[in-house]
Amino acid sequence: MALEDVYQRNVHHRGHRAGWLRAAVLGANDGLVSTASLMIGITAAKIGGAESQSFLVTAGAAGIVAGAMSMAVGEYVSVRSQNDIEESDRLLEMEHLKVDPEAELIELQHIYIERGLTPELAMQVATAMHARDPLEAHLRDELGQFDQSKARPVQAAVASAAAFTLGGLIPFLGAFAPTTGQVAVSIVGFAIIGLVITGVASARTAGSKILAPTLRVILGGCIGMAITAGIGQALHLSGI
Ligand SMILES: [Zn+2]
C-alpha cells in the first residue's frame, strides 16, 4: 500500500480528533444533567408555593451560572498546571542534556530497548535522534509530550463554560414549555432529548457504536435526576 493511502487511512483515526470536541460534549452533558437534576429536585421539594415557577427558573439560572463559572475556573487551573508541568519537565530535560549528554543517550537507548529494539539498534536510533534534536526526542519518547503546541487556558475555560451553559439551557427551557401537567415532566422530557443529543455526539466523537453509549448517557442522566428528585421529595416530606 502506498504511503499516501496510509496517510489517508490515518485521517479516520479517532486519536486525531481534537480533544476540545470531546471536552465540549462532556461539558454540555454536565450542564444538562446538573441543571435538570437541580430543577427537578426543587420541583420535588415543592418549594415556594405560588411563586414556585419563578423560584424554579431563578434557581435553574443560578445553577447554570454557578456551574459554568466552576467549569471555567477548573479548566483554567487544570490547563495552566498541565502547561507548567510540561514546561518544568522541558527545562529539566534541557539541563540534563547539557550536564550529562552521555547518560541521556543511554537513557534513550534503554527506552527503545524496552519498546522492543535490540541494544545495538536502540543505540543506533538513539544516536540518530541525538544528532538531530535530542530535546525533542527526550520530550517525546521519555516524557510523552507529543503536542508541542500548548493548550490555551483562557480559551479552554471559555469553551467549557459555554458548553456547560448550552447543555444547562436545554432543561431550563423545559420549564417554559407548555405542559399539560407538571413542569417536572417537561424538564425531564427536554433533558432526555438533550441526553440523546449529547449521547450520540459523544459516541460519534469517540468513533464507537451509537446505541449502547447513548443509552448509557441517558441512563446515567436519569439516575442523576431520580436521585435528586428523591432527595427533594425526602426534604419536602421531612418539612425542611
Ligand atoms: Zn532524558
Side-chain angles (χ1 to χ4, degrees):
M1 178 168 278
L3 195 54
E4 200 46 48
D5 295 330
V6 174
Y7 286 147
Q8 206 51 45
R9 235 181 354 183
N10 284 349
V11 170
H12 300 293
H13 276 245
R14 303 293 164 164
H16 293 280
R17 282 285 168 85
W20 65 263
L21 194 57
R22 192 166 170 65
V25 173
L26 285 174
N29 200 62
D30 249 21
L32 210 156
V33 173
S34 60
T35 306
S37 297
L38 173 69
M39 295 178 83
I40 287 160
I42 286 169
T43 57
K46 299 188 173 61
I47 303 166
E51 300 96 48
S52 66
Q53 174 73 9
S54 87
F55 181 83
L56 180 68
V57 167
T58 308
I64 292 173
V65 174
M69 292 304 110
S70 147
M71 292 282 287
V73 171
E75 192 68 20
Y76 181 85
V77 169
S78 129
V79 170
R80 277 299 295 265
S81 71
Q82 184 57 38
N83 285 353
D84 288 348
I85 290 168
E86 288 187 5
E87 186 56 31
S88 74
D89 277 349
R90 184 187 169 82
L91 292 175
L92 209 62
E93 203 58 46
M94 281 170 78
E95 183 66 21
H96 289 170
L97 282 164
K98 210 170 80 183
V99 172
D100 196 351
E102 273 304 302
E104 288 296 315
L105 183 67
I106 305 290
E107 184 190 36
L108 203 55
Q109 180 200 16
H110 279 270
I111 289 166
Y112 296 141
I113 291 172
E114 270 171 33
R115 290 184 190 175
L117 303 191
T118 62
E120 299 74 32
L121 184 55
M123 183 46 92
Q124 276 181 37
V125 174
T127 307
M129 292 292 177
H130 263 231
R132 208 183 62 135
D133 187 343
L135 182 60
E136 191 202 79
H138 281 262
L139 290 178
R140 185 190 56 229
D141 294 332
E142 183 189 340
L143 299 168
Q145 293 187 21
F146 287 93
D147 195 1
Q148 300 304 326
S149 63
K150 294 247 179 287
R152 284 175 288 188
V154 173
Q155 272 93 331
V158 170
S160 66
F164 186 97
T165 303
L166 213 60
L169 283 175
I170 297 172
F172 184 78
L173 292 176
F176 296 98
T179 173
T180 50
Q182 292 172 308
V183 68
V185 175
S186 55
I187 294 173
V188 172
F190 270 61
I192 289 174
I193 292 167
L195 287 169
V196 172
I197 296 168
T198 57
V200 170
S202 103
R204 297 213 54 174
T205 56
S208 61
K209 288 203 176 69
I210 302 291
L211 189 62
T214 303
L215 288 177
R216 265 202 301 276
V217 168
I218 295 169
L219 188 68
C222 288
I223 290 170
M225 291 188 282
I227 290 172
T228 49
I231 292 172
Q233 188 80 34
L235 288 173
H236 173 64
L237 293 177
S238 67
I240 291 172

